Amino acid sequence: MKFTQSDRLLKLPIYVFAQLDKIKAEQQAKGADLIDLGMGNPDIPPPAEINKALIDSLANPENHRYPSFEGAPEFKNAVSGWCKRQYNISVDAEHEVVTLIGSKEGIVHFAFAFINPGDLTLVPMPAYPAHFRGTILAGGEPYVLPTTEQHGYLPDLKNIAPETAKRAKMMILSYPSNPTGAVSTREFYEEAVAFCRKHEIILIHDFAYAEIYFDGNKPISMLSIPGAKDVCIEFHTTSKTFGMPGWRCGFAVGNRELIEALRKIKTNLDYGLFTAVQKAAIAAMTLDEKDYIDRVRATYQKRRDIFVDGLNSLGWQIKKPKGSLYVWFPVPKGYDSTEFTMQVIAKTGVVFSAGTAFGELGEGFVRAALVAPENRLEEAISRLKKAGFRYNG
Ligand SMILES: Cc1ncc(COP(=O)(O)O)c(C=O)c1O
């Protein structure tokens, strides 16, 4: 029997990370010592306090029952306190917070709450894949806003035609950016909020790398812009800040109507986040170990410096990214992104992600995730050098 997948599945571009997993498995089977900088999969573990909170909460049988759909009140209070302390934004714990099973889950499902066939979502590219895939799965169309290094990877909103703005239902921004490492300016956020208010577009801000910023330049929350709460929902995660990617814990805050719609979708899909994980996340957001996040940031910053300096010693001329976990760099002449990624894996065992994973405008680039210790990043650079990989303009 032949099973025909739905149009929504058939419309999706190939998931490059799944493809990468296959190639990695083949190399490993051959005994290769891989240095895996492919996925943005944090390797710095959470502090002991968070693990202890999880273990302690397992002892209570109540915590093993179905959680509440929208999140435990204590969790949502902790989120509200965290948002106030970290980003100076006020969110009402009861109406303006929803608990997610990782922020990717929330971002993709959010599209199902608002997108009808024919609706557009404005997505700067290159982009984290879920930013356009959610819209495709929900039957809408991503509308690409090209971004370039020259303009700080911020899209030019003035270039959006009035007919496009009229058809657009949502816009997704995300800074610090995966994959480019770019951060936004306050002025750009003000412009984005004004644009979305004028054209009645939902503004989604994916703030996954809120705490992964460098050189002391702390990014602001979109919700700190006056008037943003009229149009904006902001997605957060414990995955990157607290090294908890496997725990699947995230939350969204912002406009209550948008939060309510996401909650409505989720009541039809899942039973909320495991209570023990919520308890551990409360411990994360109220950590006694005050300098934990500073240490995480300093670790990634040091890795960034080693890796970028290393590439630059091989002919690249890359500026250091200002945030996120990634270094985004052009492939040498004579390669496309996929070919370069494959050759590098085959000849050195170093795994990058081809830039095309982040949309067609990622062609000509690759992304390295800084998820290996310093000595492994040094080793990656020396393997590239030994194999003769250099940037040639
Ligand atoms: C920009 C961005 N948003 C969201 C996510 C997903 O994070 P989570 O683990 O909360 O689903 C990622 C993961 O890499 C990301 O890069």
Side-chain angles (χ1 to χ4, degrees):
M1 180 157 168
K2 176 136 176 49
F3 299 103
T4 312
Q5 291 183 354
S6 65
D7 291 346
R8 68 170 59 83
L9 272 195
L10 294 173
K11 265 193 207 157
L12 288 175
I14 310 165
Y15 198 66
V16 178
F17 293 112
Q19 211 184 20
L20 206 59
D21 272 353
K22 196 167 152 253
I23 296 154
K24 280 184 334 199
E26 283 165 13
Q27 289 293 326
Q28 267 158 341
K30 286 192 220 155
D33 167 28
L34 295 185
I35 301 179
D36 189 354
L37 312 179
M39 259 181 90
N41 193 355
D43 62 321
I44 304 174
E49 216 175 311
I50 298 181
N51 293 344
K52 182 170 183 309
L54 177 77
I55 293 163
D56 289 351
S57 69
L58 292 177
N60 181 349
E62 270 305 302
N63 292 339
H64 294 259
R65 306 187 69 192
Y66 288 122
S68 82
F69 285 112
E70 64 204 44
E74 313 88 272
F75 176 81
K76 296 200 296 177
N77 283 330
V79 164
S80 175
W82 168 261
C83 287
K84 187 77 201 162
R85 282 192 307 281
Q86 299 298 114
Y87 314 114
N88 198 23
I89 55 172
S90 300
V91 292
D92 175 73
E94 193 181 342
H95 301 291
E96 297 177 345
V97 179
V98 60
T99 306
L100 304 172
I101 307 173
S103 63
K104 179 181 182 184
E105 177 266 304
I107 291 164
V108 171
H109 285 144
F110 187 77
F112 285 82
F114 287 98
I115 291 294
N116 283 320
D119 286 341
L120 298 183
T121 298
L122 307 176
V123 191
M125 197 176 273
Y128 173 60
H131 294 168
F132 46 92
R133 284 164 184 268
T135 291
I136 298 173
L137 285 172
E141 292 168 38
Y143 183 91
V144 172
L145 307 176
T147 65
T148 59
E149 185 184 7
Q150 203 189 354
H151 294 106
Y153 291 109
L154 300 175
D156 187 350
L157 304 183
K158 289 181 207 74
N159 265 349
I160 300 171
E163 317 81 78
T164 306
K166 198 159 171 223
R167 265 184 71 199
K169 192 80 186 274
M170 322 200 294
M171 174 158 76
I172 303 195
L173 300 175
S174 182
Y175 299 96
S177 152
N178 173 10
T180 65
V183 298
S184 176
T185 60
R186 175 180 289 276
E187 292 69 32
F188 176 70
Y189 281 170
E190 284 168 353
E191 193 189 338
V193 168
F195 178 87
C196 288
R197 285 168 61 106
K198 176 170 170 202
H199 297 287
E200 300 188 359
I201 294 171
I202 296 165
L203 177 55
I204 300 167
H205 185 227
D206 176 357
F207 208 14
Y209 300 94
E211 300 295 336
I212 314 297
Y213 59 86
F214 305 131
D215 311 310
N217 297 316
K218 184 175 166 66
I220 58 169
S221 158
M222 183 71 78
L223 290 167
S224 67
I225 302 298
K229 222 194 251 178
D230 293 344
V231 286
C232 178
I233 181 166
E234 188 165 76
F235 288 85
H236 293 246
T237 175
T238 57
S239 296
K240 318 290 177 175
T241 308
F242 297 105
M244 298 164 63
W247 299 47
R248 313 310 304 128
C249 173
F251 53 90
V253 294
N255 179 281
R256 77 164 66 181
E257 232 181 284
L258 302 180
I259 295 286
E260 187 47 45
L262 179 52
R263 211 177 260 168
K264 187 167 163 191
I265 282 282
K266 284 177 56 59
T267 52
N268 289 285
L269 286 167
D270 63 56
Y271 284 104
L273 177 62
F274 182 24
T275 304
V277 171
Q278 293 190 57
K279 302 269 181 199
I282 295 171
M285 286 183 278
T286 53
L287 263 192
D288 282 338
E289 193 191 334
K290 291 290 176 235
D291 64 350
Y292 170 79
I293 305 174
D294 292 339
R295 282 198 293 112
V296 168
R297 235 185 327 264
T299 303
Y300 287 128
Q301 183 168 320
K302 187 80 201 297
R303 292 177 179 182
R304 172 201 71 165
D305 291 346
I306 288 171
F307 195 70
V308 172
D309 291 344
L311 285 178
N312 288 349
S313 75
L314 300 178
W316 272 273
Q317 292 177 331
I318 303 160
K319 292 202 193 98
K320 291 185 174 160
K322 295 184 175 154
S324 84
L325 294 180
Y326 309 105
V327 179
W328 179 247
F329 56 102
V331 300
K333 251 195 215 131
Y335 293 98
D336 65 21
S337 300
T338 308
E339 183 58 21
F340 182 68
T341 311
M342 296 307 166
Q343 291 276 335
V344 169
I345 299 180
K347 292 187 181 158
T348 69
V350 177
V351 183
F352 297 137
S353 292
T356 42
F358 309 94
E360 60 274 14
L361 297 182
E363 182 52 271
F365 288 82
V366 282
R367 188 197 76 175
L370 300 166
V371 292
E374 292 168 22
N375 63 336
R376 295 293 278 171
L377 294 174
E378 282 159 355
E379 164 81 17
I381 296 290
S382 93
R383 288 192 199 175
L384 288 175
K385 187 173 177 184
K386 229 184 254 160
F389 289 108
R390 283 190 66 80
Y391 187 63
N392 50 7

